[in-house]
Amino acid sequence: MIEVKNLTKYYGDKHAVDGISFSVKQGEILGFLGPNGAGKSTTMNILTGYISSTSGSVSIDGFDILDNPIEAKQKIGYLPELPPLYMDMTVQSYLGFVYDLKKCKIPKKQHIDEVCRRVKIDHVQNRLIKNLSKGYRQRVGMAQALIGNPEVLILDEPTVGLDPMQIIEIRDLIKVLGERHTVILSSHILSEVQAVCDRLVIINGGKIVADDTAESLTRKLSKDFRYIIRVEGPQADIQKTLSSIPGMKEVLFNGEKEPGAYEFSLESDPTLDIRREVFHRIVARNWTILSFRSTEMTLEDIFLQLTTGDSAAAEATLATADATADATADKEDEAPVEAPIEAVEVVNPETGEAEDVSKPLSAPEIIGETKDDTENGGEE
């Protein structure tokens, strides 16, 4: 849907954007992050066609923003940090004005009413914009971006200056909009970005320093990534079962945290996701998982690592992780050779017999009676 290639922008001698490239798929919500002066706002202004680039290209659904500006801009709805509102107009008249500017072909009243319902301002359509709260003005700004049903929404700091309740409302609205539109969201509220975005692009010094999901960045940058699990059951057997999981490096016993419930710290191969196997083995033995969490970095930690003095080291770590992932993917294309799994036995308290816990258990078969098809009109 959106393709940015080798985008560069100079302001005199200042290199504001330095040859960045990224793409956004249809229906994706992309978080576009960066510290002040990183080139984030410049990039977004180029994406909307507000300013031109020095070199490189931006295409929206195949239309170049410079070569085909009208076609490209028709596909964009833009909410700048300060919404372009006319305070002495009513909400309805303002949206009608925007509708005329965009030269929409959709039935006017029906379309404006629908947009107002989507952003929940239909009950204030006849009020002057200057008499609305900050939160409602932000919703009006969102509504003007939606006029014309654009395929792409570019939202620059959509929750700036809002109270916590208004932030939650706008966040939920963005999630809903992401079901129908491709969204680029820029914000300094990192928890908000993590809550709604499918992927992150982080820019610093005019260059992209990360392009990945928050979860993947956490795994790549965390120096000591572990899971902490609390399980109710026999402590020794739980530890043996967890230790036998393929890819598990270390299982540390953290003590009895509740009566009959024990906590363990799990370290595994960072290229493997062991969560499903852990869950399956614990539940299959009728033990109870009381909590299961990771010691992952927060998005704030990731952002600071990539945009502060340690950014070079963090970028090198990401590059190494990506190279390792590529090498692993190449190996997976080859015929897999399964390593033998050493048997680990624990005593089943119900049968008194030794049980091999080195392999996942299959789900128990549910056996029930089936009535004759002739009974109850052929129903079982």
Side-chain angles (χ1 to χ4, degrees):
M1 176 58 69
I2 302 174
E3 193 74 35
V4 178
K5 294 182 179 179
N6 301 317
L7 196 65
T8 300
K9 178 65 177 179
Y10 281 95
Y11 290 111
D13 295 332
K14 179 176 173 54
H15 212 168
V17 179
D18 188 4
I20 67 173
S21 299
F22 64 92
S23 60
V24 189
K25 298 177 182 177
Q26 186 172 1
E28 187 176 23
I29 303 179
L30 176 75
F32 193 59
L33 308 177
N36 291 330
K40 175 168 53 68
S41 295
T42 297
T43 301
M44 296 189 76
N45 284 333
I46 294 173
L47 291 179
T48 60
Y50 182 66
I51 61 175
S52 61
S53 61
T54 303
S55 63
S57 65
V58 173
S59 64
I60 310 294
D61 196 21
F63 294 103
D64 189 280
I65 197 69
L66 293 180
D67 295 338
N68 307 101
I70 295 177
E71 292 86 348
K73 292 177 182 179
Q74 284 176 342
K75 297 181 176 294
I76 298 173
Y78 179 41
L79 175 64
E81 183 174 348
L82 297 176
L85 306 178
Y86 292 98
M87 297 299 176
D88 291 326
M89 298 178 75
T90 65
V91 172
Q92 190 175 55
S93 61
Y94 169 71
L95 294 178
F97 171 66
V98 173
Y99 175 98
D100 294 335
L101 282 179
K102 292 187 176 183
K103 298 181 179 179
C104 296
K105 305 299 182 183
I106 311 169
K108 187 173 184 178
K109 187 179 187 309
Q110 178 183 344
H111 179 49
I112 291 176
D113 288 344
E114 179 189 356
V115 168
C116 288
R117 281 195 299 271
R118 290 182 68 186
V119 299
K120 298 181 180 179
I121 57 172
D122 47 309
H123 60 292
V124 297
Q125 283 193 62
N126 296 318
R127 293 183 59 181
L128 292 174
I129 294 175
K130 67 181 179 183
N131 293 333
L132 298 178
S133 68
K134 171 71 173 176
Y136 275 105
R137 292 180 189 177
Q138 203 73 5
R139 288 176 181 270
V140 175
M142 193 82 74
Q144 67 80 24
L146 287 169
I147 292 294
N149 285 334
E151 297 175 41
V152 175
L153 290 176
I154 299 179
L155 312 176
D156 191 2
E157 300 288 350
T159 59
V160 65
L162 303 185
D163 63 40
M165 182 57 70
Q166 292 169 335
I167 289 175
I168 293 172
E169 291 174 350
I170 295 296
R171 180 190 300 168
D172 291 341
L173 175 60
I174 293 172
K175 288 181 181 179
V176 173
L177 295 176
E179 297 174 0
R180 298 188 185 182
H181 306 267
T182 299
V183 180
I184 296 181
L185 169 65
S186 172
S187 176
H188 285 105
I189 305 175
L190 300 184
S191 59
E192 167 188 301
V193 173
Q194 191 163 17
V196 302
C197 294
D198 303 316
R199 194 174 109 243
L200 306 176
V201 169
I202 301 177
I203 186 172
N204 187 42
K207 297 182 178 181
I208 291 177
V209 294
D211 182 353
D212 212 332
T213 64
E215 292 78 11
S216 180
L217 289 173
T218 294
R219 281 187 166 275
K220 292 175 182 177
L221 292 175
S222 292
K223 296 179 180 178
D224 183 23
F225 183 84
R226 290 174 177 264
Y227 290 107
I228 306 297
I229 189 170
R230 186 176 300 182
V231 183
E232 188 175 46
Q235 180 259 322
D237 291 348
I238 294 170
Q239 190 160 0
K240 285 182 181 179
T241 301
L242 293 173
S243 298
S244 69
I245 293 175
M248 189 70 73
K249 291 183 175 181
E250 185 178 45
V251 178
L252 296 178
F253 176 52
N254 293 344
E256 186 176 11
K257 301 301 181 180
E258 301 177 43
Y262 306 93
E263 190 171 275
F264 303 89
S265 175
L266 315 179
E267 182 182 0
S268 64
D269 184 337
T271 63
L272 300 177
D273 188 344
I274 63 168
R275 292 174 297 175
R276 292 170 182 81
E277 188 65 19
V278 168
F279 179 83
H280 176 81
R281 295 197 181 202
I282 295 297
V283 172
R285 290 165 177 83
N286 293 320
W287 300 330
T288 304
I289 299 176
L290 299 179
S291 66
F292 193 13
R293 59 185 174 83
S294 66
T295 58
E296 62 186 16
M297 298 171 64
T298 65
L299 184 54
E300 285 82 358
D301 296 331
I302 294 171
F303 184 81
L304 289 174
Q305 272 205 30
L306 291 169
T307 59
T308 59
D310 297 331
S311 60
E315 289 179 56
T317 301
L318 284 180
T320 302
D322 290 338
T324 302
D326 291 341
T328 302
D330 291 339
K331 288 183 179 180
E332 288 178 351
D333 292 337
E334 302 173 359
V337 178
E338 295 186 1
I341 299 176
E342 182 180 353
V344 179
E345 295 185 345
V346 299
V347 176
N348 189 320
E350 296 181 359
T351 63
E353 298 179 355
E355 177 186 340
D356 183 4
V357 299
S358 61
K359 298 179 181 179
L361 293 179
S362 58
E365 182 180 357
I366 300 174
I367 302 175
E369 296 183 358
T370 302
K371 295 182 180 180
D372 189 275
D373 289 342
T374 59
E375 295 181 23
N376 302 321
E379 296 181 355
E380 293 185 351

